[in-house]
């Protein structure tokens, strides 16, 4: 006795982009150094022009280089960066950007995972960020919209209401 094979089921198409293994492995994530400051500023500049990031002077990148994680290509070029500022019990992610030619390749996700690891190592209980964009990457990694009153007060006061940013949070 034989049974008929199950009918074929059409699966819906998705827009999930899976990075090619050689692309994802073609960079390393490491803590930024003070001498990375000019590259951090240069990497951020196109996003400042579009309004996605606030303008920050080179002196700020120099002073806060220890906040940053960077994605570095084998040739030494910085492909992405993400700042993590520590506040009591919580952290704030800021200045998150990935070079346009690397978007969708896994660079942003790896930076975000490294920030989660850094935050947990510092015993933080939550991460916050503000975004003027869709925030899809944050939402996929457990962030949800919250009121700024739940965020670290000093950071929440520094937000520019004219930018219309949404505050997102993720418990750790």
């Amino acid at each position: 006795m034989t049974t008929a094979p199950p009918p074929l089921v059409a699966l819906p198409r998705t827009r999930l982009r899976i990075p090619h293994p050689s692309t994802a492995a073609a960079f390393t994530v490491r803590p930024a150094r003070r001498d990375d400051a000019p590259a951090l500023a240069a990497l951020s500049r196109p996003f400042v022009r579009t309004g996605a990031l606030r303008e920050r002077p080179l002196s700020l990148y120099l002073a806060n280089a220890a906040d940053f994680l960077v994605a570095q290509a084998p040739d030494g070029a910085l492909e992405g960066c993400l700042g993590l500022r520590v506040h009591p019990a919580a952290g704030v992610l800021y200045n998150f950007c990935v070079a346009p030619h690397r978007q969708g390749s896994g660079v942003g996700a790896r930076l975000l995972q490294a920030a989660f690891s850094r935050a947990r190592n510092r015993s933080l209980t939550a991460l916050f960020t503000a975004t003027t964009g869709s925030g899809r990457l944050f939402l996929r990694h457990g962030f949800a919209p919250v009121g700024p009153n739940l965020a670290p007060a000093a950071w929440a006061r520094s937000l520019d209401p004219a930018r219309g940013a949404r505050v997102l949070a993720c418990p750790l």
Side-chain angles (χ1 to χ4, degrees):
M1 177 171 180
T2 62
T3 58
L8 294 176
V9 176
L11 297 174
R13 291 181 182 249
T14 63
R15 297 193 143 244
L16 178 65
R17 294 180 69 183
I18 299 171
H20 186 277
S22 64
T23 302
F27 65 91
T28 58
V29 174
R30 64 168 176 80
R33 300 180 298 259
R34 197 173 189 318
D35 64 342
D36 289 322
L40 290 169
L43 180 63
S44 303
R45 201 167 293 121
F47 299 93
V48 170
R49 279 191 224 114
T50 66
L53 290 179
R54 289 188 196 181
E55 186 162 7
R56 293 175 171 89
L58 178 59
S59 61
L60 191 93
Y61 290 106
L62 286 164
N64 298 320
D67 284 358
F68 283 87
L69 294 164
V70 296
Q72 184 176 17
D75 68 0
L78 296 189
E79 304 278 351
C81 66
L82 174 59
L84 169 59
R85 174 64 49 93
V86 175
H87 293 266
V92 172
L93 299 177
Y94 70 100
N95 207 101
F96 189 14
C97 58
V98 174
H101 70 280
R102 290 298 241 158
Q103 292 182 9
S105 71
V107 170
R110 289 251 316 263
L111 282 166
L112 195 52
Q113 289 302 319
F116 276 124
S117 179
R118 184 181 261 196
R120 287 184 184 108
N121 286 341
R122 294 181 179 176
S123 299
L124 300 179
T125 60
L127 286 176
F128 291 85
T129 195
T131 183
T132 58
S134 71
R136 282 189 306 259
L137 183 62
F138 291 112
L139 297 171
R140 282 196 309 262
H141 283 85
F143 283 79
V146 297
N149 59 315
L150 297 176
W155 174 73
R157 283 191 304 272
S158 75
L159 295 174
D160 179 0
R163 291 177 45 83
R166 292 184 304 147
V167 174
L168 306 174
C170 182
L172 296 175

